[in-house]
Amino acid sequence: MSTTKEPKLNFNSAWDLAPAPEDTKHISLKKQYDLFINGEFVKPNSKKYFATYNPATEEKIADVAEADEKDVDKAVKAARSAFGKWSKLTGKERGKYIYRIARLMQERAREFAVIETMDGGKSIRESRDIDVPLAANHFFYYAGWADKLEYAFPNKNPKPLGIAGQIIPWNFPLLMAAWKIAPALAAGNTVVLKPAETTPLTALKLAELIRDSGLPNGVVNIITGAGKTGAAIVNHPDINKIAFTGSTDVGKLIQRSVSGTDKKLTLELGGKAANIIFDDAPLDQAVEGIINGIFFNQGHVCCAGSRLFVQESVADLVIRKLKDRMQTLRVGDPMDKNTDIGAINSKEQLGKINDYIKIGKDEGAEMYQSTCVIPKKGYFCRPTIFLNATQSHRIVQEEIFGPVLTIQTFRTIEEVIEKANNIPYGLSAGVWTDKGSKIFNLTTKLKAGVIWANTYNKFDPTSPFGGYKESGFGREGGLHGLSAYLDM
Ligand code: NAP
Ligand code: MG
């Protein structure tokens, strides 16, 4: 919980290694990317490649190898052979390698930030100030635990699990790779990781970095492909742990595939968080928190504050301030450092968001969009809110994963707790109030893995993150995240 002052949407961390974002001249991108297996880039067995696009321009960036079951098997064999040596290194030695990865990531921050924005559409300011520094911080944080496992888990004799198969989504491609790889390595496991189809390029840059870092061959293998490639990882008999971040539907499929095997499983799935504003909250600060909660990363955030609950007595005022603030948001070229909301990640995702906007109107909620001009080319969506939404509306119950907010009002604390919890998901929530007692009351009653107070979307490697109900199980980050990679 934090009661610090909420920053404006320009998330400024004075990070001096950050890129001059307009500058794409020094970014080295290849036309074609192969699979990173056993420390080298190798052609896929099928010889097939798929294209990855820049969603802000609709232009193709590169062709990327499509791994099939044979490639997955090759990666798992490399990881198995590397596990023998890696798991026997002292924690101090493992830590040195992980620190090296963290430092190299800082040195190449400019490249990572620009590629992240080109491949996925998020604003360069967010890639530069949030995604890349946080990814590096995850490696720094877990490097520090590598030689302290016995102190972290006293009398438990922690041992690595073996090979971790890791599958990640497209909304925070580099950061999710760091969340997965750093604790796995610190605990002494080896890794086979698959990034999402629309955003493979920063994971492949990370593969280059890992090769350059001198990490022993096969400790981290990064293979690209579609859902079938992910399924081949899940079903490979020699994998000991599956760590998945993605949709609830695919999470359920994976749980079914893994049941009956002795694979360990953690699932980080969807969300539909309640962001709750009480009448005693600092309202201007709360409005910034609403904006950050739903429009950060185009709303492609599993823990996005996508359901706003405002106490009735201040609802008109908050909504007026919110509409005014929405008008100031700049939507457009993600490579422009003044852009607040970049491109929607793919044509498919834009289609899904637009379907939900239509559903919301058909359901009778009242739509309001900012009147900003959006580029003709590329996939963009205006910041959108729905007033007079009700608990039974699909736009309230289902995850949209875009810049679309539903607004409900409430009178009493009991009412808002019941409505906030009456949803299939349980990942996160936000509470805005002047009263510490109200915050403590709500944090015990809201069924959500992460609850922010008087702030929103704050992430730190030391703090655990994960959900209840259809948002999955297991935690990433902190010692909880480390324990998910240990047998004890
Ligand atoms: P997704 O379709 O579930 O995809 C996630 C990853 O799984 C991708 O790499 C995908 O590959 C792969 N995949 C697809 N089908 C698979 C299968 N049958 N077996 C194994 N792997 C398979 O989700 P998404 O659209 O990328 O991401 C959006 C969802 O992720 C949202 O629901 C969001 O809430 C959730 N999310 C949750 C968290 C969290 O921490 N809780 C964080 C971020 C996102 P392809 O890309 O090739 O399809
Ligand atoms: Mg792309």
Side-chain angles (χ1 to χ4, degrees), residues 19 36 46 54 93 100 105 147 165 303 328 406 445 457:
F36 183 64
S46 68
N54 180 335
E93 284 304 309
R100 200 176 299 158
M105 192 173 281
D147 64 348
C303 51
T328 68
T406 61
K445 292 186 180 141
N457 275 339

Side-chain angles (χ1 to χ4, degrees), residues 50 167-172 176 179-180 194-199 225-235 244-251 253-254 257 267-271 300-303 349 352 399 401 425 427 465-467 471-472 476:
F50 61 92
I167 301 163
I168 56 172
W170 44 258
N171 55 344
F172 293 94
M176 288 298 115
W179 278 30
K180 297 269 181 290
K194 187 196 98 68
E197 209 178 332
T198 58
T199 54
K228 264 172 93 173
T229 313
I233 294 175
V234 171
N235 294 323
F244 173 78
T245 299
S247 61
T248 297
D249 287 347
V250 175
L253 276 178
I254 292 177
S257 313
L267 295 176
E268 302 274 3
L269 309 176
H300 303 327
V301 183
C302 48
C303 51
Q349 187 60 25
K352 183 181 155 190
E399 186 184 46
F401 223 54
Y425 297 106
L427 189 56
F465 184 92
S471 294
E476 292 188 309

